[in-house]
Amino acid sequence: MNTIKQLSLGAIMMVTSLTATASVDSITLGMGCFWGAEKRMAALPGIVDVESGYANGDAEITNYHDVLALEQQLKRGKTTARNHAEVIQVRFNPAQTSLRNILITFWENHNPTQGDQQGNDRGSNYRSAIYTSSAAQLAEALATRDEYQAALTAASLGKITTEIEPLRHYNRAEEDHQDYLQKHPNGYCGLGGTGVAFPRTAAAPAAVAPAPLAAAELHFDRQLIAFESADCGFCRQFDADILNQWTAATPIRATPVAQPPIGWTLAQPLFATPTIVLFEQGKEVSRFTGYQGDQARFWHWLGLQLLTPEQQKIAFEQGTERPFTGSYLDEKRPGVFVDPVSGAALFRSNAKFESGSGWPSFFDPLPGAITLHEDTAHGMHRVEVRSASSGIHLGHVFEDGPLPSGKRYCINGKVLRFVPD
């Protein structure tokens, strides 16, 4: 009786296992770096699991270091072997989502026109790819490719270069690469689409995709645009650290669309978020990619775009303007002196006094506006004054000022901007 009961339980477990297996299908996709792709696909309804791996190279067995080493050999012309692509294997429940929905997400969330490259990640291991496990999957991949190509062509974008073929030589990636952005929430978000929506049928209309920023609402002469994405932790951190407190003279706008305003041009496609692009006359002149909480690096980049060479020498090299040559020595109007990069308020004019030193002098900064640092350069012992917002060098503070503070904040006028009340 016990034997019969054990056999019955075993049979039930086998049937349950077969049923569960039958309810799950899988497709293997290459979208560049697999970290962002894994997170993006895992968020879809009906997804059972997403695994990072390597696929469709000539070697049956490979790993991360093997892939990188082979790519270097390919670049040096030392081999003609086909390298593996970084891929994600997406396992899904066909009763809850369709292969078509997964492929639509695939097409919309990376740039499939870049060949052996995804953004700044260059090499055949970063190629766009769909690797199939059945004739039906292959047919669906080709059909959706043609549909999306029509949309890209209508948007004046290039030809799809996605490699579409049966899956072979799949290797699971190392454990460090699995669920990478769950383990490292502020990790690299190297995933950006073309901004072109996949065409939907009337029976399955697409959600209204956000449009690029309207050029008429922007400043054509000089405008910053922060290109962001909804699931990028660094985008939220950039907003909290910098964007939400923006007071700089150069205007900035954020957008979730990976395309510039109509009529404006990027120097190269976007490949990661956030990317902050400086446009002048509607054309990209510089960009900052990969914010990771490093505010000083961001402001240094912006300062290099906005300041003159003389201002840069003072701000970033602790230079000093010659006395009586700077700005605002005779400025007496009510107002505020601000950081020329961040726009943050530093001193009010009612704290300014005539020191006779040849530099604008103040007896008190605004609360939290500056930081003080020991300075032993040039054989002297002084206290350096920096802007708390951007970190640029402003000047020095001395103990020979007027009451009530007794301080003299001796500031280079060329790294100030005056805003009258």
Side-chain angles (χ1 to χ4, degrees):
M1 185 68 174
N2 289 339
T3 303
I4 294 173
K5 187 178 289 186
Q6 289 174 0
L7 287 172
S8 299
L9 288 172
I12 291 170
M13 291 174 64
M14 182 177 294
V15 170
T16 301
S17 176
L18 290 172
T19 302
T21 301
S23 68
V24 175
D25 200 354
S26 69
I27 185 79
T28 304
L29 307 170
M31 304 168 69
C33 176
F34 43 31
W35 296 338
E38 181 187 51
K39 180 179 179 182
R40 186 67 55 86
M41 285 296 179
L44 290 178
I47 299 301
V48 176
D49 180 54
V50 183
E51 177 181 277
S52 293
Y54 315 99
N56 282 53
D58 289 343
E60 290 189 26
I61 305 298
T62 195
N63 60 40
Y64 185 70
H65 296 292
D66 290 342
V67 169
L68 293 183
L70 182 57
E71 198 60 35
Q72 290 301 315
Q73 292 180 34
L74 286 166
K75 289 177 181 178
R76 294 195 295 266
K78 301 295 185 181
T79 182
T80 58
R82 184 61 164 154
N83 203 359
H84 285 261
E86 286 195 14
V87 297
I88 52 168
Q89 192 160 87
V90 182
R91 288 187 274 275
F92 62 98
N93 185 341
Q96 297 178 351
T97 190
S98 66
L99 175 62
R100 181 178 176 84
N101 285 339
I102 292 169
L103 290 174
I104 287 172
T105 303
F106 165 82
W107 293 119
E108 290 183 336
N109 283 277
H110 77 301
N111 189 334
T113 69
Q114 293 186 304
D116 287 349
Q117 176 185 346
Q118 197 60 215
N120 272 12
D121 289 329
R122 300 170 184 271
S124 63
N125 49 319
Y126 296 114
R127 62 189 180 267
S128 172
I130 301 174
Y131 299 132
T132 62
S133 58
S134 69
Q137 283 191 355
L138 182 61
E140 187 74 281
L142 294 171
T144 56
R145 178 199 63 187
D146 294 344
E147 291 178 66
Y148 196 54
Q149 181 64 73
L152 292 176
T153 301
S156 300
L157 295 180
K159 186 176 180 179
I160 289 174
T161 60
T162 303
E163 183 175 76
I164 301 177
E165 60 185 34
L167 177 67
R168 66 189 183 99
H169 296 168
Y170 175 78
N171 286 249
R172 185 180 190 274
E174 295 79 355
E175 193 59 37
D176 287 349
H177 295 299
Q178 305 301 330
D179 302 316
Y180 184 86
L181 291 180
Q182 291 184 29
K183 301 170 185 173
H184 308 278
N186 290 326
Y188 173 64
C189 299
L191 198 63
T194 61
V196 177
F198 191 94
R200 267 70 166 189
T201 64
V208 177
L213 293 173
E217 299 175 0
L218 305 176
H219 290 73
F220 185 70
D221 288 343
R222 177 178 281 172
Q223 174 77 50
L224 286 160
I225 297 180
F227 293 94
E228 302 184 337
S229 62
D231 59 353
C232 173
F234 279 139
C235 298
R236 293 189 292 273
Q237 187 172 359
F238 176 78
D239 293 351
D241 291 349
I242 293 176
L243 190 62
N244 294 345
Q245 290 80 235
W246 191 263
T247 55
T250 303
I252 189 169
R253 289 281 299 275
T255 176
V257 180
Q259 293 295 318
I262 295 174
W264 291 28
T265 56
L266 290 166
Q268 59 179 322
L270 300 168
F271 70 93
T273 54
T275 294
I276 299 87
V277 178
L278 177 63
F279 291 90
E280 292 181 356
Q281 305 296 311
K283 296 181 180 179
E284 177 185 341
V285 295
S286 184
R287 69 172 58 185
F288 181 94
T289 299
Y291 181 80
Q292 299 181 31
D294 42 357
Q295 297 182 46
R297 189 171 72 90
F298 171 79
W299 290 119
H300 185 270
W301 165 78
L302 186 59
L304 292 177
Q305 316 311 315
L306 304 182
L307 302 181
T308 66
E310 186 176 9
Q311 288 177 306
Q312 290 176 29
K313 186 174 181 63
I314 296 170
F316 302 128
E317 301 175 29
Q318 294 182 293
T320 302
E321 66 197 22
R322 289 184 294 110
F324 300 100
T325 65
S327 308
Y328 308 120
L329 271 176
D330 299 321
E331 182 58 71
K332 295 180 174 62
R333 291 175 296 168
V336 64
F337 294 85
V338 305
D339 183 316
V341 182
S342 71
L346 301 171
F347 302 92
R348 279 206 61 84
S349 55
N350 59 9
K352 186 172 181 287
F353 69 97
E354 177 56 59
S355 67
S357 64
W359 291 278
S361 299
F362 305 85
F363 59 78
D364 221 5
L366 287 167
I370 65 166
T371 59
L372 302 179
H373 306 266
E374 184 181 12
D375 180 5
T376 57
H378 309 296
M380 295 183 284
H381 189 277
R382 297 179 293 175
V383 178
E384 180 195 5
V385 179
R386 297 180 194 168
S387 170
S389 59
S390 70
I392 66 170
H393 171 77
L394 298 173
H396 293 86
V397 61
F398 302 97
E399 300 291 335
D400 56 1
L403 296 175
S405 70
K407 306 284 187 183
R408 173 170 60 95
Y409 293 87
C410 187
I411 306 301
N412 290 279
K414 291 177 180 175
V415 287
L416 294 175
R417 183 168 63 85
F418 180 68
V419 180
D421 287 346

